[in-house]
Coordinates of all heavy atoms in Angstrom, one line a residue:
M856 N 3.8 21.6 -10.7 CA 3.0 20.4 -10.9 C 2.9 19.6 -9.6 O 3.9 19.4 -8.9 CB 3.7 19.6 -12.0 CG 2.9 18.3 -12.3 SD 3.4 17.5 -13.8 CE 4.8 16.5 -13.3
A857 N 1.7 19.3 -9.3 CA 1.4 18.5 -8.1 C 1.7 17.0 -8.3 O 1.6 16.5 -9.3 CB -0.1 18.7 -7.6
I858 N 2.2 16.4 -7.2 CA 2.4 15.0 -7.2 C 1.6 14.4 -6.0 O 1.5 15.1 -4.9 CB 3.9 14.6 -7.1 CG1 4.6 15.2 -5.9 CG2 4.6 15.0 -8.4 CD1 6.0 14.7 -5.7
Y859 N 1.2 13.1 -6.1 CA 0.4 12.5 -5.1 C 0.9 11.1 -4.8 O 1.6 10.5 -5.7 CB -1.1 12.4 -5.6 CG -1.6 13.7 -6.0 CD1 -1.6 14.0 -7.3 CD2 -2.2 14.5 -5.0 CE1 -2.2 15.2 -7.7 CE2 -2.8 15.7 -5.4 CZ -2.8 16.1 -6.8 OH -3.4 17.2 -7.1
S860 N 0.7 10.6 -3.7 CA 1.0 9.2 -3.3 C -0.2 8.4 -3.7 O -1.3 8.9 -4.0 CB 1.3 9.1 -1.8 OG 0.0 9.3 -1.1
S861 N 0.0 7.1 -3.7 CA -1.1 6.2 -4.0 C -2.3 6.3 -3.0 O -3.5 6.3 -3.4 CB -0.7 4.7 -3.9 OG 0.3 4.5 -4.9
Q862 N -2.0 6.5 -1.7 CA -3.1 6.7 -0.7 C -3.8 8.0 -1.0 O -5.0 8.1 -0.9 CB -2.5 6.7 0.7 CG -3.5 6.9 1.8 CD -4.5 5.6 1.8 OE1 -4.0 4.5 1.9 NE2 -5.7 5.8 1.7
E863 N -3.1 9.1 -1.3 CA -3.8 10.4 -1.7 C -4.7 10.3 -2.9 O -5.8 10.7 -2.9 CB -2.7 11.4 -1.9 CG -2.0 11.9 -0.6 CD -0.8 12.8 -0.9 OE1 -0.2 12.7 -2.0 OE2 -0.6 13.7 -0.1
V864 N -4.2 9.5 -3.9 CA -5.0 9.3 -5.1 C -6.3 8.5 -4.8 O -7.4 8.9 -5.2 CB -4.2 8.6 -6.3 CG1 -5.1 8.2 -7.4 CG2 -3.1 9.5 -6.8
A865 N -6.1 7.5 -4.0 CA -7.3 6.7 -3.6 C -8.3 7.5 -2.8 O -9.5 7.4 -3.1 CB -6.8 5.5 -2.7
N866 N -7.8 8.3 -1.9 CA -8.7 9.2 -1.1 C -9.4 10.2 -2.1 O -10.6 10.5 -1.9 CB -8.0 9.9 0.0 CG -7.5 9.0 1.1 OD1 -8.0 7.9 1.2 ND2 -6.5 9.5 1.8
L867 N -8.7 10.8 -3.0 CA -9.3 11.8 -3.9 C -10.4 11.3 -4.8 O -11.3 11.9 -5.1 CB -8.2 12.5 -4.7 CG -7.2 13.5 -3.9 CD1 -6.0 13.8 -4.8 CD2 -8.0 14.7 -3.4
I868 N -10.1 10.0 -5.2 CA -11.2 9.5 -6.2 C -12.2 8.6 -5.5 O -13.2 8.2 -6.1 CB -10.5 8.7 -7.3 CG1 -9.8 7.4 -6.8 CG2 -9.6 9.5 -8.1 CD1 -9.3 6.5 -7.9
G869 N -12.0 8.4 -4.1 CA -13.1 7.8 -3.4 C -13.1 6.2 -3.4 O -14.2 5.6 -3.4
V870 N -11.9 5.6 -3.6 CA -11.8 4.1 -3.5 C -10.7 3.8 -2.4 O -10.0 4.7 -2.0 CB -11.4 3.5 -4.9 CG1 -12.5 3.8 -5.9 CG2 -10.0 4.0 -5.3
S871 N -10.6 2.6 -2.1 CA -9.6 2.2 -1.1 C -8.2 2.1 -1.9 O -8.2 1.9 -3.1 CB -9.9 0.8 -0.5 OG -9.8 -0.2 -1.4
K872 N -7.1 2.2 -1.2 CA -5.8 2.0 -1.7 C -5.7 0.6 -2.4 O -5.1 0.4 -3.4 CB -4.7 2.2 -0.7 CG -3.3 2.1 -1.3 CD -2.3 2.4 -0.2 CE -0.9 2.2 -0.8 NZ 0.2 2.4 0.2
R873 N -6.2 -0.4 -1.7 CA -6.3 -1.7 -2.2 C -6.9 -1.8 -3.6 O -6.4 -2.5 -4.4 CB -6.9 -2.7 -1.2 CG -6.8 -4.1 -1.6 CD -7.4 -4.9 -0.5 NE -7.3 -6.3 -0.9 CZ -7.5 -7.4 0.0 NH1 -7.9 -7.1 1.2 NH2 -7.3 -8.6 -0.5
T874 N -8.1 -1.2 -3.8 CA -8.7 -1.2 -5.0 C -7.9 -0.5 -6.1 O -7.7 -1.1 -7.2 CB -10.1 -0.5 -4.9 OG1 -10.9 -1.2 -4.0 CG2 -10.8 -0.3 -6.3
L875 N -7.3 0.6 -5.8 CA -6.4 1.3 -6.7 C -5.2 0.5 -7.1 O -4.9 0.3 -8.3 CB -5.9 2.6 -6.1 CG -5.1 3.5 -7.0 CD1 -5.8 4.0 -8.2 CD2 -4.5 4.7 -6.2
L876 N -4.6 -0.2 -6.2 CA -3.5 -1.0 -6.5 C -3.9 -2.2 -7.4 O -3.2 -2.7 -8.3 CB -2.8 -1.5 -5.2 CG -2.0 -0.3 -4.4 CD1 -1.4 -0.9 -3.2 CD2 -1.1 0.4 -5.3
Q877 N -5.0 -2.8 -7.1 CA -5.6 -3.9 -7.9 C -5.8 -3.5 -9.3 O -5.5 -4.2 -10.2 CB -6.9 -4.5 -7.3 CG -7.3 -5.8 -7.9 CD -6.3 -6.9 -7.6 OE1 -5.9 -7.1 -6.5 NE2 -5.9 -7.6 -8.7
W878 N -6.3 -2.3 -9.6 CA -6.4 -1.8 -10.9 C -5.0 -1.7 -11.6 O -4.9 -2.0 -12.8 CB -7.0 -0.4 -10.9 CG -8.5 -0.4 -10.5 CD1 -9.3 -1.4 -10.4 CD2 -9.3 0.8 -10.2 NE1 -10.6 -1.0 -10.0 CE2 -10.5 0.4 -9.8 CE3 -8.9 2.2 -10.1 CZ2 -11.5 1.3 -9.5 CZ3 -10.0 3.0 -9.7 CH2 -11.3 2.6 -9.4
L879 N -4.0 -1.4 -10.9 CA -2.7 -1.3 -11.4 C -2.1 -2.7 -11.8 O -1.6 -3.0 -12.8 CB -1.7 -0.6 -10.5 CG -2.0 0.9 -10.3 CD1 -1.0 1.4 -9.2 CD2 -1.7 1.7 -11.6
Y880 N -2.3 -3.6 -10.8 CA -1.8 -5.0 -11.0 C -2.6 -5.7 -12.2 O -1.9 -6.5 -12.9 CB -2.1 -5.8 -9.7 CG -1.3 -5.3 -8.5 CD1 -1.9 -5.5 -7.2 CD2 -0.1 -4.7 -8.5 CE1 -1.3 -5.0 -6.1 CE2 0.6 -4.2 -7.4 CZ -0.1 -4.4 -6.2 OH 0.6 -3.9 -5.1
D881 N -3.8 -5.4 -12.3 CA -4.6 -6.0 -13.5 C -4.4 -5.2 -14.7 O -5.0 -5.5 -15.7 CB -6.1 -6.0 -13.1 CG -6.4 -6.9 -12.0 OD1 -5.6 -7.8 -11.6 OD2 -7.5 -6.8 -11.4
E882 N -3.5 -4.2 -14.7 CA -3.2 -3.4 -15.9 C -4.4 -2.6 -16.4 O -4.5 -2.4 -17.7 CB -2.5 -4.2 -16.9 CG -1.1 -4.8 -16.5 CD -0.5 -5.6 -17.5 OE1 -1.0 -5.8 -18.6 OE2 0.7 -6.0 -17.2
R883 N -5.3 -2.3 -15.6 CA -6.5 -1.5 -16.0 C -6.1 0.0 -16.1 O -6.8 0.8 -16.8 CB -7.6 -1.6 -15.0 CG -8.1 -3.1 -15.0 CD -9.3 -3.2 -14.0 NE -9.4 -4.6 -13.6 CZ -10.2 -5.0 -12.6 NH1 -11.0 -4.1 -12.0 NH2 -10.3 -6.2 -12.3
L884 N -5.1 0.4 -15.3 CA -4.5 1.7 -15.3 C -3.1 1.6 -15.6 O -2.4 0.7 -15.2 CB -4.7 2.4 -14.0 CG -6.0 2.9 -13.5 CD1 -6.0 3.4 -12.1 CD2 -6.6 3.9 -14.4
P885 N -2.5 2.6 -16.4 CA -1.0 2.6 -16.6 C -0.3 2.8 -15.3 O -0.8 3.7 -14.5 CB -0.9 3.7 -17.6 CG -2.1 4.5 -17.7 CD -3.2 3.7 -17.1
E886 N 0.8 2.3 -15.2 CA 1.6 2.4 -14.0 C 2.2 3.8 -13.9 O 2.8 4.3 -14.9 CB 2.7 1.4 -14.0 CG 3.6 1.3 -12.8 CD 2.9 0.6 -11.6 OE1 2.1 -0.2 -11.8 OE2 3.2 1.0 -10.4
P887 N 2.1 4.5 -12.8 CA 2.6 5.8 -12.7 C 4.2 5.7 -12.5 O 4.7 4.6 -12.2 CB 2.0 6.5 -11.5 CG 1.6 5.3 -10.6 CD 1.3 4.2 -11.6
K888 N 4.9 6.8 -12.6 CA 6.3 6.9 -12.3 C 6.7 6.3 -11.0 O 5.9 6.6 -10.0 CB 6.8 8.3 -12.6 CG 8.3 8.4 -12.4 CD 8.7 9.8 -12.6 CE 10.2 10.0 -12.4 NZ 10.6 11.4 -12.5
R889 N 7.7 5.7 -10.8 CA 8.2 5.2 -9.5 C 9.6 5.9 -9.2 O 10.4 6.1 -10.1 CB 8.4 3.7 -9.5 CG 7.2 3.0 -9.6 CD 7.5 1.4 -9.6 NE 6.3 0.7 -9.6 CZ 6.0 -0.3 -8.8 NH1 7.0 -0.7 -7.9 NH2 4.9 -1.0 -8.9
I890 N 9.8 6.1 -7.9 CA 11.1 6.6 -7.5 C 11.6 5.6 -6.4 O 10.7 5.0 -5.8 CB 11.1 8.0 -6.9 CG1 10.1 8.2 -5.8 CG2 10.7 9.0 -8.0 CD1 10.3 9.4 -5.0
E891 N 12.9 5.5 -6.3 CA 13.4 4.6 -5.3 C 14.1 5.4 -4.2 O 14.9 6.3 -4.5 CB 14.4 3.6 -5.9 CG 14.8 2.5 -4.9 CD 15.6 1.4 -5.6 OE1 15.5 1.3 -6.8 OE2 16.4 0.8 -4.8
H892 N 13.8 5.1 -3.0 CA 14.4 5.6 -1.8 C 15.1 4.4 -1.2 O 14.5 3.3 -1.2 CB 13.4 6.3 -0.9 CG 14.0 7.1 0.2 ND1 14.5 6.6 1.4 CD2 14.4 8.4 0.2 CE1 14.9 7.6 2.1 NE2 14.9 8.7 1.4
P893 N 16.3 4.5 -0.7 CA 17.1 3.3 -0.3 C 16.2 2.1 0.2 O 15.7 2.1 1.3 CB 18.0 3.8 0.8 CG 18.2 5.3 0.5 CD 16.9 5.7 -0.2
G894 N 16.1 1.2 -0.7 CA 15.4 -0.1 -0.4 C 13.9 -0.1 -0.6 O 13.2 -1.1 -0.4
V895 N 13.3 1.0 -0.9 CA 11.8 1.2 -1.0 C 11.5 1.9 -2.3 O 12.1 3.0 -2.6 CB 11.2 1.9 0.2 CG1 9.7 2.0 0.1 CG2 11.6 1.2 1.5
E896 N 10.5 1.4 -3.1 CA 10.1 2.1 -4.3 C 8.7 2.8 -4.0 O 7.9 2.2 -3.3 CB 9.8 1.1 -5.4 CG 11.1 0.9 -6.2 CD 10.8 0.1 -7.5 OE1 9.9 -0.6 -7.6 OE2 11.6 0.3 -8.4
Y897 N 8.5 3.9 -4.5 CA 7.3 4.7 -4.3 C 6.7 5.0 -5.7 O 7.4 5.4 -6.6 CB 7.5 6.0 -3.5 CG 8.0 5.8 -2.1 CD1 9.4 5.9 -1.8 CD2 7.1 5.6 -1.1 CE1 9.8 5.7 -0.6 CE2 7.6 5.4 0.2 CZ 8.9 5.5 0.5 OH 9.4 5.3 1.8
R898 N 5.4 5.0 -5.7 CA 4.7 5.5 -7.0 C 4.4 7.0 -6.8 O 4.0 7.4 -5.8 CB 3.4 4.8 -7.2 CG 3.5 3.3 -7.6 CD 2.1 2.7 -7.8 NE 2.2 1.3 -8.1 CZ 2.4 0.3 -7.3 NH1 2.4 0.5 -6.0 NH2 2.5 -0.9 -7.8
I899 N 4.7 7.7 -7.8 CA 4.6 9.2 -7.9 C 3.4 9.4 -8.9 O 3.7 9.3 -10.1 CB 5.8 10.0 -8.2 CG1 6.9 9.6 -7.2 CG2 5.6 11.4 -8.2 CD1 6.6 10.0 -5.7
W900 N 2.3 9.9 -8.4 CA 1.2 10.1 -9.3 C 1.1 11.6 -9.7 O 1.2 12.5 -8.8 CB -0.1 9.8 -8.6 CG -0.3 8.4 -8.3 CD1 0.3 7.7 -7.3 CD2 -1.1 7.4 -8.9 NE1 0.0 6.4 -7.3 CE2 -1.0 6.2 -8.3 CE3 -2.0 7.5 -10.0 CZ2 -1.7 5.1 -8.7 CZ3 -2.7 6.4 -10.4 CH2 -2.5 5.2 -9.7
S901 N 1.0 11.9 -11.0 CA 1.0 13.2 -11.5 C -0.5 13.6 -11.6 O -1.4 12.8 -11.5 CB 1.6 13.4 -12.9 OG 0.9 12.6 -13.8
E902 N -0.8 14.8 -12.0 CA -2.2 15.3 -12.3 C -2.8 14.4 -13.4 O -4.0 14.1 -13.3 CB -2.2 16.8 -12.6 CG -1.9 17.7 -11.5 CD -3.0 17.9 -10.6 OE1 -4.2 17.6 -10.9 OE2 -2.8 18.3 -9.4
K903 N -2.0 14.2 -14.4 CA -2.5 13.4 -15.5 C -2.9 11.9 -15.1 O -3.9 11.4 -15.5 CB -1.4 13.3 -16.6 CG -1.9 12.7 -17.9 CD -0.7 12.9 -19.0 CE -1.2 12.3 -20.3 NZ -0.1 12.4 -21.3
D904 N -2.0 11.4 -14.2 CA -2.3 10.0 -13.7 C -3.7 10.1 -12.8 O -4.5 9.2 -12.9 CB -1.2 9.5 -12.8 CG 0.1 9.3 -13.6 OD1 0.0 8.9 -14.8 OD2 1.2 9.5 -13.0
L905 N -3.8 11.1 -12.1 CA -4.9 11.3 -11.2 C -6.2 11.4 -12.1 O -7.2 10.7 -11.8 CB -4.8 12.5 -10.4 CG -6.0 12.9 -9.5 CD1 -6.4 11.8 -8.5 CD2 -5.8 14.2 -8.7
E906 N -6.2 12.1 -13.2 CA -7.3 12.3 -14.1 C -7.7 10.9 -14.7 O -8.9 10.6 -14.9 CB -7.0 13.4 -15.1 CG -7.1 14.8 -14.5 CD -8.3 15.1 -13.8 OE1 -9.4 14.8 -14.3 OE2 -8.2 15.6 -12.7
R907 N -6.6 10.2 -15.1 CA -6.9 8.8 -15.7 C -7.6 8.0 -14.7 O -8.5 7.2 -15.1 CB -5.6 8.2 -16.1 CG -5.0 8.6 -17.4 CD -3.9 7.7 -17.8 NE -3.1 8.4 -18.8 CZ -1.8 8.6 -18.7 NH1 -1.1 8.1 -17.7 NH2 -1.1 9.3 -19.6
A908 N -7.2 7.9 -13.4 CA -7.8 7.1 -12.4 C -9.3 7.6 -12.2 O -10.2 6.7 -12.1 CB -7.0 7.2 -11.1
K909 N -9.5 8.9 -12.2 CA -10.9 9.4 -12.0 C -11.8 8.9 -13.2 O -12.9 8.5 -13.0 CB -10.9 11.0 -11.9 CG -10.5 11.5 -10.6 CD -10.6 13.0 -10.7 CE -10.1 13.7 -9.5 NZ -10.2 15.1 -9.6
Q910 N -11.2 9.0 -14.4 CA -12.0 8.6 -15.6 C -12.3 7.1 -15.5 O -13.4 6.7 -15.8 CB -11.2 9.1 -16.8 CG -12.0 8.7 -18.1 CD -11.2 9.1 -19.3 OE1 -10.1 9.7 -19.2 NE2 -11.8 8.9 -20.5
Y911 N -11.3 6.3 -15.2 CA -11.5 4.9 -15.1 C -12.6 4.6 -14.1 O -13.4 3.8 -14.4 CB -10.2 4.2 -14.7 CG -10.4 2.7 -14.6 CD1 -10.4 1.9 -15.8 CD2 -10.7 2.1 -13.4 CE1 -10.8 0.5 -15.7 CE2 -11.0 0.7 -13.3 CZ -11.0 0.0 -14.5 OH -11.3 -1.4 -14.4
K912 N -12.6 5.2 -12.9 CA -13.5 4.9 -11.9 C -15.0 5.3 -12.4 O -15.9 4.5 -12.2 CB -13.2 5.7 -10.6 CG -14.3 5.4 -9.5 CD -14.1 6.4 -8.4 CE -15.3 6.0 -7.5 NZ -15.7 7.1 -6.6
A913 N -15.0 6.5 -13.0 CA -16.4 6.9 -13.5 C -16.9 6.0 -14.6 O -18.2 5.7 -14.7 CB -16.2 8.3 -14.1
E914 N -16.1 5.4 -15.4 CA -16.6 4.5 -16.5 C -16.7 3.0 -16.1 O -17.5 2.4 -16.7 CB -15.5 4.6 -17.6 CG -15.6 5.9 -18.3 CD -14.4 6.1 -19.4 OE1 -13.6 5.1 -19.5 OE2 -14.3 7.1 -20.0
N915 N -16.0 2.6 -15.0 CA -16.0 1.1 -14.8 C -16.2 0.7 -13.3 O -16.3 -0.5 -13.1 CB -14.6 0.6 -15.1 CG -14.3 0.8 -16.6 OD1 -14.8 0.1 -17.4 ND2 -13.5 1.8 -16.9
Y916 N -16.5 1.6 -12.4 CA -16.6 1.2 -11.0 C -17.9 1.5 -10.4 O -18.4 2.6 -10.6 CB -15.5 1.9 -10.2 CG -15.4 1.5 -8.7 CD1 -14.9 0.3 -8.4 CD2 -15.9 2.4 -7.8 CE1 -14.8 -0.1 -7.0 CE2 -15.8 2.0 -6.4 CZ -15.3 0.8 -6.1 OH -15.2 0.5 -4.7
C917 N -18.5 0.6 -9.8 CA -19.8 0.7 -9.0 C -19.5 0.2 -7.7 O -19.4 -1.0 -7.5 CB -20.9 0.0 -9.8 SG -22.5 0.3 -8.9
K918 N -19.5 1.0 -6.6 CA -19.2 0.6 -5.3 C -20.1 -0.5 -4.8 O -21.3 -0.5 -5.0 CB -19.2 1.8 -4.3 CG -18.8 1.4 -2.9 CD -18.8 2.5 -2.0 CE -18.3 2.2 -0.7 NZ -18.1 3.3 0.2
G919 N -19.6 -1.6 -4.2 CA -20.3 -2.6 -3.7 C -20.6 -3.8 -4.7 O -20.7 -4.9 -4.2
R920 N -20.5 -3.4 -5.9 CA -20.8 -4.5 -6.9 C -19.4 -4.8 -7.7 O -19.3 -5.9 -8.2 CB -21.8 -4.1 -7.9 CG -23.2 -4.0 -7.2 CD -24.3 -3.7 -8.1 NE -24.3 -4.6 -9.2 CZ -24.8 -4.3 -10.4 NH1 -25.2 -3.0 -10.7 NH2 -24.8 -5.1 -11.4
G921 N -18.5 -3.8 -7.7 CA -17.2 -4.1 -8.3 C -17.3 -4.2 -9.8 O -16.4 -4.8 -10.4
R922 N -18.3 -3.8 -10.5 CA -18.3 -3.9 -11.9 C -19.1 -2.6 -12.5 O -19.7 -1.9 -11.8 CB -18.9 -5.2 -12.4 CG -20.3 -5.4 -11.8 CD -20.8 -6.7 -12.2 NE -21.9 -7.0 -11.2 CZ -22.5 -8.1 -11.0 NH1 -22.0 -9.1 -11.6 NH2 -23.4 -8.2 -10.1
K923 N -19.1 -2.5 -13.8 CA -19.8 -1.4 -14.5 C -21.3 -1.3 -14.1 O -21.9 -2.4 -14.0 CB -19.6 -1.6 -16.0 CG -18.3 -1.4 -16.6 CD -18.4 -1.5 -18.1 CE -17.1 -1.5 -18.7 NZ -17.2 -1.5 -20.2
P924 N -21.8 -0.1 -14.0 CA -23.2 0.0 -13.8 C -23.9 -0.4 -15.1 O -23.4 -0.3 -16.2 CB -23.4 1.5 -13.5 CG -22.2 2.1 -13.8 CD -21.1 1.1 -13.9
K925 N -25.1 -1.0 -15.0 CA -25.9 -1.4 -16.2 C -26.3 -0.1 -17.0 O -26.7 0.9 -16.4 CB -27.1 -2.1 -15.8 CG -26.8 -3.5 -15.2 CD -28.1 -4.2 -14.9 CE -27.7 -5.6 -14.3 NZ -28.9 -6.3 -14.0
K926 N -26.2 -0.2 -18.3 CA -26.7 0.8 -19.1 C -28.2 0.9 -19.2 O -28.8 -0.2 -19.3 CB -26.1 0.7 -20.6 CG -24.6 0.9 -20.6 CD -24.1 0.9 -21.9 CE -22.6 1.1 -21.9 NZ -22.0 1.3 -23.3
Q927 N -28.8 2.0 -19.1 CA -30.2 2.2 -19.1 C -30.6 2.5 -20.5 O -30.1 3.4 -21.1 CB -30.7 3.2 -18.1 CG -30.3 2.7 -16.7 CD -30.8 3.7 -15.7 OE1 -31.6 4.6 -16.0 NE2 -30.4 3.5 -14.4
A928 N -31.7 1.9 -21.0 CA -32.2 2.2 -22.4 C -33.0 3.4 -22.4 O -33.5 4.0 -21.6 CB -33.0 1.0 -22.9

C-alpha cells in the first residue's frame, strides 16, 4: 500500500499544500492518519485518502475562484 505526504497529495491533485491543509482545518476532508517522530507530527495519506481528496476537488474546487463551478442547465 502506497503512502504519501501532504505535499505529494497536493501535487498529485493539482492544488497547493496550503489549500489542501485549509480543507483539513475546515473539516472538508477527513484528517489522515498521523505519526509522530520525536517532536514532529506527520500526516500519512493512504490511497483511500488520496481518492477522497481527488473527489472533493472535482466536486468543489474551481481554480482562481475558490468555489464550486456553476451548474449548467
Side-chain angles (χ1 to χ4, degrees):
M856 179 165 86
I858 58 172
Y859 305 95
S860 68
S861 295
Q862 184 64 58
E863 289 172 324
V864 170
N866 291 342
L867 287 169
I868 66 172
V870 298
S871 69
K872 182 179 175 184
R873 184 175 181 171
T874 296
L875 181 63
L876 294 178
Q877 192 63 51
W878 292 347
L879 293 173
Y880 299 147
D881 292 345
E882 298 180 355
R883 297 180 201 172
L884 287 175
E886 186 75 28
K888 181 180 175 184
R889 290 178 177 232
I890 60 169
E891 187 173 337
H892 193 271
V895 180
E896 276 192 331
Y897 297 96
R898 288 179 181 87
I899 300 298
W900 295 76
S901 66
E902 289 285 340
K903 190 174 181 180
D904 296 324
L905 174 62
E906 289 305 315
R907 279 192 202 124
K909 281 182 184 179
Q910 182 178 0
Y911 178 81
K912 181 190 176 206
E914 293 173 357
N915 298 285
Y916 181 77
C917 181
K918 186 174 181 173
R920 293 182 55 211
R922 55 187 161 194
K923 291 182 186 181
K925 291 183 180 179
K926 292 188 179 187
Q927 297 182 11

